[in-house]
Amino acid sequence: APSPAFDGTRPYWILRVCSDNDGEEVILKRDTQREDEIKSIKAAWEELQPGRAAKAKTLRDKYLASKAEERAKTAAPPLSEPPIAEEGDPVSTVPSTLPEEPASIVTSRVASVIGISTTFSEAPRPESPKFYEIPAAFSPYVRITSADPDLFDEAEHARMVGEHKEKVESFHEERRSVVTGRQDDRANRNEMKEQLLNTAETMQVEVETQRDDVFALRDSLRQKQLAEEAARLAALEPEQITTPSPKPTSAKKPKSPKGAKKKK
């Protein structure tokens, strides 16, 4: 069918495609991937359970019809009571309810109100809204341009995988070196602690030995001095026994008895 004439007053899209190869065809079509997936799922259901689609459509029509009846009952104005017939008057019959409509008509009306399509045919897509025009100059968004295009083929993929492996290996190697250095540092620190403890214990033993030697010399000197003092005291004891001690010159004379006569 011939395409309709372009109307610039209505919203439209402007699409620009850049291609490296001259003369290459560019095909634009509607993306029906989701619709195809849904159709394939429904076809699989129908294959497993024949008659599933018809049964589901019947149940859906009944459900919509019941909802339409409920809306009609709630929205319908109250009916006036039928007149009471007197004696002699012909009996007039007034219908108590409205005539029922077919289920298909009710279903289509409810579907049109709710916005659900009763058939599986594709509805026409709305017009695309107007969008801002993409600037033609894209050089500000490109850092480097080269004449030869870089293709992401198997060789490029293998090169990138190799670079990634090298980075991972270098990282693990550096990590192993760091861990080894930490272990060596810990071992050196433990060895230094042992050396310091041994040195402290040796110094303590030497100090105690020298202190014992000093105390032994002190005790021997003290015993010698005590022996000399005892000998000196023993030599002085006989002299004190043979020679009486002289009387002090300041001794007073005895007083005369009372009543003694004085010499003339």
Side-chain angles (χ1 to χ4, degrees):
S3 60
F6 178 74
D7 187 4
T9 59
R10 301 182 64 182
Y12 60 91
W13 289 85
I14 296 178
L15 179 63
R16 294 187 179 183
V17 181
C18 299
S19 178
D20 295 336
N21 299 328
D22 297 336
E24 184 179 0
E25 295 182 358
V26 178
I27 300 175
L28 300 178
K29 64 178 182 178
R30 179 182 174 185
D31 186 9
T32 60
Q33 181 179 1
R34 182 59 181 169
E35 296 177 1
D36 295 339
E37 290 178 358
I38 295 174
K39 289 180 180 179
S40 61
I41 292 172
K42 290 182 178 180
W45 288 348
E46 186 67 22
E47 184 178 356
L48 292 176
Q49 299 178 2
R52 178 190 176 100
K55 185 178 179 180
K57 188 175 184 305
T58 304
L59 294 175
R60 181 65 178 172
D61 292 341
K62 288 182 180 180
Y63 173 75
L64 294 176
S66 63
K67 289 296 181 181
E69 290 178 1
E70 292 179 1
R71 288 189 178 184
K73 289 179 181 179
T74 55
L79 300 176
S80 59
E81 296 181 357
I84 301 174
E86 297 181 357
E87 295 181 358
D89 294 339
V91 179
S92 61
T93 59
V94 180
S96 59
T97 58
L98 295 176
E100 296 182 355
E101 295 181 353
S104 60
I105 299 176
V106 175
T107 303
S108 61
R109 289 183 180 181
V110 174
S112 62
V113 172
I114 298 176
I116 302 174
S117 178
T118 56
T119 60
F120 293 99
S121 61
E122 297 179 358
R125 298 185 65 183
E127 295 290 337
S128 300
K130 188 175 181 180
F131 196 73
Y132 294 103
E133 183 178 357
I134 300 176
F138 56 89
S139 58
Y141 308 101
V142 179
R143 294 183 179 179
I144 300 173
T145 57
S146 60
D148 298 332
D150 296 334
L151 302 178
F152 187 75
D153 51 1
E154 295 182 358
E156 183 68 17
H157 179 68
R159 186 186 64 80
M160 293 180 66
V161 171
E163 290 181 356
H164 181 69
K165 288 183 178 179
E166 290 179 359
K167 290 181 180 179
V168 172
E169 289 296 333
S170 63
F171 169 76
H172 285 297
E173 185 65 25
E174 184 176 359
R175 183 179 181 276
R176 283 192 291 268
S177 63
V178 171
V179 172
T180 305
R182 289 180 179 178
Q183 293 176 355
D184 296 342
D185 188 15
R186 188 180 296 108
N188 294 332
R189 283 188 278 113
N190 293 334
E191 185 178 357
M192 188 180 298
K193 289 179 183 178
E194 293 292 335
Q195 292 178 359
L196 290 175
L197 290 175
N198 295 332
T199 304
E201 291 177 357
T202 305
M203 292 176 63
Q204 186 176 3
V205 171
E206 292 178 356
V207 168
E208 290 179 356
T209 304
Q210 293 179 3
R211 182 176 59 188
D212 294 340
D213 296 341
V214 171
F215 286 168
L217 293 174
R218 185 190 65 178
D219 293 339
S220 62
L221 180 61
R222 185 169 178 273
Q223 293 296 331
K224 184 178 180 180
Q225 291 177 354
L226 290 175
E228 292 177 356
E229 184 68 19
R232 188 179 65 81
L233 292 176
L236 293 176
E237 285 180 357
E239 295 179 358
Q240 292 178 358
I241 295 172
T242 56
T243 58
S245 58
K247 292 182 179 180
T249 58
S250 62
K252 295 182 179 181
K253 295 181 179 180
K255 295 180 179 181
S256 60
K258 292 181 179 182
K261 294 182 178 180
K262 296 182 180 180
K263 292 180 179 180
K264 293 182 179 179

